[in-house]
Amino acid sequence: MTRPRIAYQGEPGANSHLVCKEHYPDSEAVPCASFEDVFAVVESGEIDLAMIPIDNSIAGRVADIHHFLPQSGLHIIGEHFLRIRFHLMGVPGASLDTITTAHSHVHALGQCRKIIRRLGLRPIISGDTAGAAREVAEAADPTQAAISPPLAAEIYGLEILAEDVEDEDHNTTRFVVLSRDFIKAPAGNGPVVTSFIFNVRNLPAALYKALGGFATNGVNMTKLESYMVDGSFSGATQFLAEVDGHPDDIGVKRALEELAFFSTDVKMLGVFPADPSRT
């Protein structure tokens, strides 16, 4: 029997790879060079699913994803939260006394400033956190260190020089699982998140009227983000929203009906089980 395949952006050992291993251990995790490649291989049917980071508790939304997702034709079928951990690692024989540079993605370097400053390291930007570990392993230089996820040390044969070197211990990324098929979570079987996109005309109180039904029906909205449509400041505005509840719940159903009345192009992105980490 053929193993399901799930695509992620980055090199083996990246946090996206770790989430795939944790939640889809029976699937083959397939690395892709860019987010655009991830969407393309799933849209084409070459790969079954995608694991994509969408929000980070420190850096905010992942901008590229919010650009691709509305136009992709893919659907959200699940979500997973990952506490982001970074280790400082080097080649066998390296130590905190020998290293002089720290290689990693620009965001990871920014999230690990304290140890970089304390050790007097020179930050070197790499394209990917796991890629930084691979580059350090290939260089075989005891003066180089990588700031990467723990899985990368295992994959590239590096030694851990310091654990959990991130500045903040609440650094968490939310990942969503994407599929070509709209797999709707059943109602009445635990907490559910409903995700959708809609447009409103650029008129006074248009958004207020469109969203009024969620307030009057007691529906909790957990996400609301706006995007210009076709690069126009004066045209319609697109919004991505998420609410707690299932479209079959009476309150959510009534709120969506009111939304449709005051907006255009309402598109359901997903109805999926809420990750337990939400609570």
Side-chain angles (χ1 to χ4, degrees):
M1 182 177 178
T2 304
R3 293 172 64 196
R5 307 176 76 200
I6 182 166
Y8 66 91
Q9 187 276 327
E11 298 196 31
N15 283 310
S16 296
H17 185 198
L18 177 59
V19 175
C20 292
K21 286 173 64 68
E22 286 185 355
H23 296 282
Y24 291 84
D26 296 328
S27 297
E28 178 188 355
V30 180
C32 294
S34 68
F35 288 126
E36 188 172 11
D37 291 340
V38 174
F39 279 89
V41 294
V42 178
E43 289 179 60
S44 69
E46 180 182 345
I47 304 292
D48 304 291
L49 301 173
M51 181 72 75
I52 292 292
I54 192 168
D55 300 294
N56 178 266
S57 61
I58 295 177
R61 74 184 189 185
V62 181
D64 287 347
I65 304 311
H66 293 75
H67 172 73
F68 290 124
L69 188 56
Q71 311 301 327
S72 69
L74 302 181
H75 301 280
I76 303 174
I77 64 170
E79 66 172 0
H80 303 290
F81 288 77
L82 179 69
R83 158 77 163 84
I84 301 301
R85 300 176 63 205
F86 288 123
H87 288 1
L88 185 68
M89 55 191 72
V91 296
S95 70
L96 295 180
D97 294 325
T98 66
I99 59 174
T100 59
T101 59
H103 301 244
S104 197
H105 187 273
V106 62
H107 289 168
L109 293 171
Q111 293 168 15
C112 301
R113 290 190 178 97
K114 291 180 181 178
I115 193 168
I116 292 173
R117 187 183 310 116
R118 178 165 60 85
L119 297 177
L121 303 177
R122 181 164 59 93
I124 305 293
I125 296 175
S126 298
D128 179 80
T129 54
R134 175 184 54 76
E135 292 165 2
V136 167
E138 291 174 350
D141 182 349
T143 69
Q144 296 184 12
I147 293 176
S148 303
L151 181 60
E154 176 185 336
I155 290 176
Y156 299 109
L158 299 180
E159 293 184 350
I160 304 298
L161 307 179
E163 296 185 353
D164 298 328
V165 297
E166 61 276 4
D167 296 341
E168 305 292 343
D169 60 8
H170 60 75
N171 187 358
T172 300
T173 295
R174 176 186 175 227
F175 293 80
V176 292
V177 183
L178 304 179
S179 169
R180 291 183 305 281
D181 301 322
F182 192 159
I183 304 172
K184 184 187 293 187
N189 190 31
V192 168
V193 178
T194 296
S195 178
F196 53 92
I197 292 172
F198 65 96
N199 289 2
V200 296
R201 289 181 292 276
N202 193 4
L203 299 172
L207 181 61
Y208 174 83
K209 293 176 182 177
L211 298 182
F214 294 96
T216 56
N217 286 284
V219 177
N220 183 37
M221 180 167 285
T222 58
K223 176 188 285 289
L224 181 65
E225 297 182 343
S226 64
Y227 313 86
M228 287 189 298
V229 176
D230 298 327
S232 171
F233 287 96
S234 59
T237 303
Q238 184 177 77
F239 292 87
L240 186 154
E242 290 184 347
V243 299
D244 290 338
H246 195 283
D248 293 344
D249 297 343
I250 187 63
V252 177
K253 183 177 181 181
R254 288 174 176 170
L256 289 173
E257 289 173 351
E258 192 163 337
L259 172 69
F261 184 79
F262 287 107
S263 62
T264 61
D265 301 323
V266 179
K267 176 185 177 183
M268 198 65 63
L269 283 182
V271 180
F272 50 93
D275 187 280
S277 297
R278 278 183 175 262
T279 60

